[in-house]
Structures are given as structure tokens and as C-alpha cells.
């Protein structure tokens, strides 16, 4: 636990900042980076990461609940203009609009579900009710009405010409989150459909590539026609590759396999994990910063970063004894590596899983 405590102390002191007082309550936000310009910014994704991390560390940090509550209150103080139950994805106000991004809201909602288990909901914040409110917003504004797939945000039109209910980000297949939503709302049938349709898309893409890798973005018109998006679909030239969005996939799918014993998630994760071990020659330092879906490293990606390595550590946990040494090598390569906000946050969440300090609604430590 010492490594996790040390990393957490570093992460919290580096990225969590006081963000004013509202109605006598201190707000906190997660800084987007270390530079002056980056540290002035906050994204909803970071608030979600921060809330997940602090609820997991409550047993070792006596101020975790205070920080958690401040992070949530900051999210509530900055709602999306489209659905006030969701968070405006970027602070200060962004030229692209004051709307939501799916993953930030999805992690904030999961963290609230876990907070209800960690602290109960009879205090100043009713975590269970706040979770239900946010999950209702996610369902109403960011899940496809026909596809039952996660949409990019509440700005996405169900049947928009370019961005719609059939154009998900692969890293938004947050299956453990969806199962937690079913748990707390009782609407398991709905969220199981979201899970199963997400699996369908993953399986369709993986069937085309022996690497098991998924692209940053996906397009299609039905579950059977989904395909990698084209370059420059939304964010850049690697939108069709396994890059800085999809790099979270081994963590997202792996944690569902580990916590919920999901056979499909296990199979999907194993494809990626066995491929990366083979591709790197069993040398964790040879995990590169992005690949084409056929397994060629991307131009300019010839470097090691915890963002790509740490999630593969989560995936390696599904491999049993056959991947234990591989898991150890990844863990040793990332456990003290400090980079930027994005890398460090994904690394810490992955380390929590790798060290057995991450839990879900079915594995809450009683």
C-alpha cells in the first residue's frame, strides 16, 4: 500500500486545487496540468478521475470525503447548458461550447454510487440520490435511443449527420460503470442492454484485427456495420488508431472482467493483453504510445508512457500465472513514474486496480 499512498499524496498535492466557496462549502477541482495555463483549466474527465480516486483512498486519507464532496460540488456548480444534471466539460468556459463529455459524467456518477457504499447517504450530500439524478441525465441525454450506445456528449444529436448515436468513443465503453448504474437505480435491464450493445461493437471491431485493439472513435449505422472512424473524425489524425483515447480500453474492459467476472470482457481484454506482450517481446518498456489497429506503432510514438502501459497492467491481471511476470514488469515501470495530469491520473487508477485497492458495487470491502 505504501507505493499507492505515496503516489496518491503526490497526485493530490499536484493536481487538486481549492476552487472557491459556495454556500459555506469548499469546492475543489482537478487541474488539467502543471503549467500555468494548464493548471488554470479543469475538465469533467478530471473531476471524475478525482472523485474515483478519493473514494478509493478513503481508508488512508482522513480528508478524502471532504475532498470528494468539494470535487462533486464543483461539478454541480458548472452544469452543462444542455442538461443541467451533467457537467460542462471544460472550465473556464470553452469556445467549443459549455456542454458535456460522456466519460467525465460517467465516472462522476460511478463515484457517487461508490460514495454511497463508502460513507452512506445520510450526510450533507445524498450520494445515492445525486447518483440517480446524474444517471438519469446520462440516460436521457447521452445514450442512443436505438443504439443503446454511449454518445460523445449531450451535444450529440441522436441522428446527426456526422456525430450521432452510432459514433461512440471506444474508451466510453465503461461497462463496470453501467452495471453500477443498474445496481443503484434498479433498472438493470436497460443498463444490461447498454453493456451488451457495447460488447457487440467491441466484438465486431476485434473480429477484424488480430491485435484486439480498438480505435479512438467508431462510426456506423447499426451494430453490425460499425467500423473505425476515419482520421480527423473529431480530434486528430489518429482518430482511427489505438491512441490517446483508446489507450484506456484495457483498463475499462479489464476492470469489468476482474470485478464482475464478465466472460465477454475477459475475452476482449485477453486479446489485447496477449498481443501487446507478444508485440513488445515481453519487455514492458517496449510498450509504445499508440498503434494502428494492425499493430504498427504510430509515427512519433517511439516512447514509453504510463498512459499506455498502466492500463495494459490491468489487462495482464486477467492472464493468471502466465502473465504474472509481465504484470510485474509493467507495474515496476509505472509505479513511481510521474508525467502529466492525464498520464498520472490514468496511472493511479490503474495502480489502484493492480494493487487490489480498487473495488466496485459487487466487491465493496465490508
Amino acid at each position: 500500500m505504501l507505493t499507492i499512498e505515496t503516489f496518491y499524496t503526490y497526485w493530490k498535492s499536484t493536481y487538486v486545487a481549492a476552487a472557491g466557496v459556495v454556500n459555506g462549502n469548499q469546492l475543489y477541482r482537478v487541474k488539467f496540468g502543471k503549467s500555468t495555463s494548464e493548471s488554470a483549466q479543469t475538465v469533467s474527465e478530471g473531476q471524475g478521475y478525482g472523485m474515483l480516486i478519493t473514494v478509493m483512498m478513503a481508508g488512508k486519507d482522513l480528508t478524502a470525503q471532504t475532498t470528494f464532496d468539494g470535487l462533486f460540488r464543483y461539478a454541480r456548480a458548472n452544469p452543462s447548458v444542455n442538461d443541467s444534471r451533467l457537467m460542462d466539460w471544460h472550465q473556464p468556459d470553452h469556445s467549443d461550447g459549455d456542454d458535456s463529455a460522456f466519460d467525465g459524467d460517467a465516472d462522476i456518477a460511478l463515484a457517487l454510487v461508490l460514495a454511497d457504499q463508502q460513507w452512506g447517504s445520510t450526510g450533507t450530500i445524498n450520494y445515492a440520490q445525486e447518483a440517480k439524478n446524474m444517471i438519469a441525465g446520462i440516460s436521457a441525454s447521452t445514450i442512443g435511443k436505438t443504439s443503446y450506445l454511449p454518445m460523445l456528449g449531450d451535444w450529440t444529436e441522436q441522428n446527426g449527420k456526422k456525430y450521432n448515436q452510432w459514433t461512440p468513443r471506444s474508451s466510453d465503453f465503461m461497462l463496470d460503470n453501467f452495471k453500477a448504474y443498474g445496481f443503484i437505480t434498479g433498472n438493470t435491464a436497460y443498463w444490461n442492454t447498454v453493456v451488451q450493445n457495447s460488447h457487440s461493437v467491441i466484438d465486431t471491431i476485434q473480429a477484424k484485427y488480430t491485435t484486439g485493439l480498438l480505435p479512438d472513435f467508431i462510426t456506423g449505422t447499426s451494430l453490425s456495420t460499425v467500423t473505425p472512424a476515419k482520421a480527423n473524425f473529431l480530434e486528430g489524425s489518429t482518430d482511427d488508431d489505438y491512441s490517446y483515447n483508446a489507450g484506456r480500453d484495457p483498463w475499462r474492459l479489464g476492470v469489468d472482467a476482474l470485478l464482475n467476472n464478465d466472460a465477454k470482457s475477459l475475452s476482449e481484454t485477453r486479446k489485447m493483453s496477449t498481443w501487446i506482450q507478444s508485440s513488445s517481446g515481453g519487455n514492458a518498456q517496449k510498450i509504445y504510445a499508440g498503434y494502428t489497429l494492425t499493430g504498427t506503432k504510430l509515427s512519433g510514438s517511439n516512447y514509453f508512457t504510463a498512459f499506455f502501459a498502466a492500463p495494459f497492467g490491468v489487462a495482464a491481471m486477467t492472464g493468471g500465472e502466465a502473465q504474472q511476470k509481465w504484470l510485474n514488469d509493467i507495474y515496476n515501470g509505472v509505479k513511481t513514474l510521474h508525467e502529466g495530469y492525464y498520464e498520472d491520473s490514468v496511472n493511479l487508477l490503474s495502480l489502484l486496480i493492480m494493487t487490489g485497492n480498487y473495488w466496485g458495487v459487487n466487491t465493496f470491502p465490508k
Side-chain angles (χ1 to χ4, degrees), residues 1-11 57 60 331-338 347-348 351-352 354-355 357:
M1 189 66 173
L2 183 59
T3 296
I4 284 295
E5 290 181 40
T6 301
F7 201 113
Y8 170 69
T9 299
Y10 155 80
W11 179 89
M57 292 300 298
K60 294 295 180 179
Y331 173 78
N332 288 329
V334 302
K335 65 181 182 180
T336 58
L337 182 59
H338 296 161
N347 189 6
L348 179 51
L351 285 169
L352 283 164
M354 283 189 273
T355 57
N357 291 292

Side-chain angles (χ1 to χ4, degrees), residues 144-165:
K145 302 304 182 187
T146 302
S147 69
Y148 290 91
L149 295 174
M151 301 195 300
L152 298 171
D154 65 2
W155 54 271
T156 309
E157 297 178 5
Q158 290 284 333
N159 299 303
K161 184 176 181 180
K162 185 174 183 180
Y163 308 116
N164 54 59
Q165 63 178 307

